Amino acid sequence: MKIELAKSYGFCYGVKRAIKIAEEHPHSATFGPLIHNKDEINRLKKDYDVDLVENIDDALKFDTLVIRTHGITKENLKILKSQGKKVINATCPYVTTPQNIVQNMSKEGYTIVIFGDKNHPEIKGVASYSVDPERTHIVLSAKELIGLPLGTKVAVVAQTTRKPQQYQEIVAALAVRVAELRAFNTICNATFENQEAAAELAKRADVMVIIGGKHSSNTKQLYSICKSYLDECYHIENESELKPKWFKGKKLCGISAGASTPDWIIENVVKKIEEIANNEL
Ligand code: SF4
């Protein structure tokens, strides 16, 4: 049986960068998880003594804080700095961009519309950069724009992981409602690259293994995309879940992994599948 990895899989640029930054700052704490993968968070703790804190009170117990890829609110950043903490910013540059846009455009008097989930840490952070919270609106669909006091000048940005088609609908709805619209494409391509590569492989493979946290939404999405092309798809967190019967009589095993799956977990899975394939021979 041949084993083939999708052309694009696993960690995105922002996560790789954040992990490297955390490794370069041992004995610190990350403000919020750098990635949704408990094995990787445990590894950072074990090998580099990098802790994880989820709120400002716990963050203040550490001297050095590494800011997660999704960013934090402007207020929390200010508190950390005012308390003399060493702040290492690992916010993904694709997240810093909408933060800066929201700050600059709100200063210029534009009403801000943010397409995203108001409970997501990235969106809480982006929205906090507006100088006018009263004129900052977070929506999940074009329908939610109805009745909002938008004024005549609007600037719109999107959460990095949102679907482009839904963003287009929001931009189109705004374009006919306001006199001046500034629409910024702040969607990140990393997730789509992994999805397209996994779909391409699922069309050719006769069994697919998708590796990633059971709660990782982008891994679940990869799994459901592959499943739409191939019935024999399996979502696992690590090699201990592999079952030899999945590979019996198969010619091509495709592998993909969610954006928060570290390379060492993927390597362990590939090694175990190779062992299973060799035993069958
Ligand atoms: S998915 Fe995109 S925006 Fe999010 S951390 Fe990765 S590169 Fe940055």
Side-chain angles (χ1 to χ4, degrees):
M1 181 181 73
K2 202 176 154 220
I3 299 167
E4 188 175 324
L5 285 155
K7 286 210 169 60
S8 170
Y9 63 90
F11 280 1
C12 60
Y13 153 78
V15 168
K16 273 189 199 147
R17 178 177 167 272
I19 302 268
K20 189 164 172 284
I21 292 173
E23 288 175 352
E24 286 164 0
H25 294 88
H27 318 299
S28 62
T30 68
F31 196 147
L34 292 187
I35 54 166
H36 293 131
N37 185 294
K38 60 180 184 322
D39 290 334
E40 181 65 0
I41 286 169
N42 291 342
R43 185 190 71 89
L44 285 173
K45 172 69 188 157
K46 192 169 136 281
D47 296 353
Y48 295 91
D49 190 28
V50 173
D51 265 284
L52 161 66
V53 292
E54 303 264 12
N55 58 58
I56 190 70
D57 292 333
D58 289 338
L60 290 173
K61 294 175 191 157
F62 288 83
D63 293 330
T64 304
L65 278 309
V66 177
I67 307 304
R68 64 178 161 219
T69 41
H70 290 146
I72 60 173
T73 63
K74 201 176 169 183
E75 292 73 36
N76 281 344
L77 198 58
K78 210 164 141 193
I79 295 171
L80 292 178
K81 287 187 175 163
S82 70
Q83 299 282 317
K85 302 295 172 188
K86 188 171 173 194
V87 178
I88 313 295
N89 202 347
T91 306
C92 177
Y94 294 122
V95 175
T96 314
T97 300
Q99 289 177 346
N100 292 338
I101 292 169
V102 165
Q103 176 157 290
N104 296 337
M105 298 312 285
S106 62
K107 271 187 192 160
E108 285 183 34
Y110 285 79
T111 298
I112 303 294
V113 172
I114 302 169
F115 167 39
D117 175 359
K118 64 177 186 312
N119 297 314
H120 193 285
E122 177 189 323
I123 291 307
K124 286 184 185 168
V126 168
S128 75
Y129 279 79
S130 168
V131 298
D132 190 351
E134 295 285 302
R135 292 205 296 139
T136 301
H137 309 286
I138 303 168
V139 298
L140 266 176
S141 67
K143 251 197 233 157
E144 291 181 19
L145 293 168
I146 299 167
L148 286 183
L150 295 173
T152 53
K153 285 166 47 163
V154 168
V156 56
V157 295
Q159 189 174 342
T160 50
T161 45
R162 288 282 145 186
K163 292 204 172 86
Q165 203 196 332
Q166 288 172 332
Y167 188 43
Q168 275 170 7
E169 286 164 17
I170 288 170
V171 172
L174 286 169
V176 291
R177 257 192 73 183
V178 298
E180 185 186 343
L181 177 65
R182 300 283 304 272
F184 297 87
N185 181 2
T186 51
I187 294 175
C188 163
N189 285 333
T191 321
F192 307 117
E193 280 165 14
N194 282 3
Q195 287 175 356
E196 277 167 24
E200 188 277 323
L201 187 51
K203 285 177 197 163
R204 295 185 286 116
D206 43 17
V207 57
M208 277 294 288
V209 175
I210 314 295
I211 314 158
K214 290 278 153 70
H215 300 292
S216 151
S217 61
N218 82 81
T219 309
K220 284 193 271 184
Q221 229 171 335
L222 274 181
Y223 170 76
S224 83
I225 288 169
C226 291
K227 189 87 181 158
S228 70
Y229 294 106
L230 178 69
D231 206 37
E232 293 199 52
C233 285
Y234 302 97
H235 175 180
I236 60 167
E237 283 196 352
N238 57 50
E239 72 279 9
S240 70
E241 294 166 64
L242 290 167
K243 298 213 166 38
K245 64 177 180 191
W246 297 346
F247 308 99
K248 225 176 164 45
K250 300 294 190 293
K251 288 194 174 64
L252 176 61
C253 168
I255 296 179
S256 181
S260 49
T261 311
D263 282 349
W264 58 270
I265 292 184
I266 301 166
E267 281 158 22
N268 287 349
V269 169
V270 172
K271 226 182 280 166
K272 183 78 188 282
I273 296 176
E274 276 168 358
E275 271 172 37
I276 293 171
N278 288 339
N279 281 345
E280 207 190 303
L281 289 173

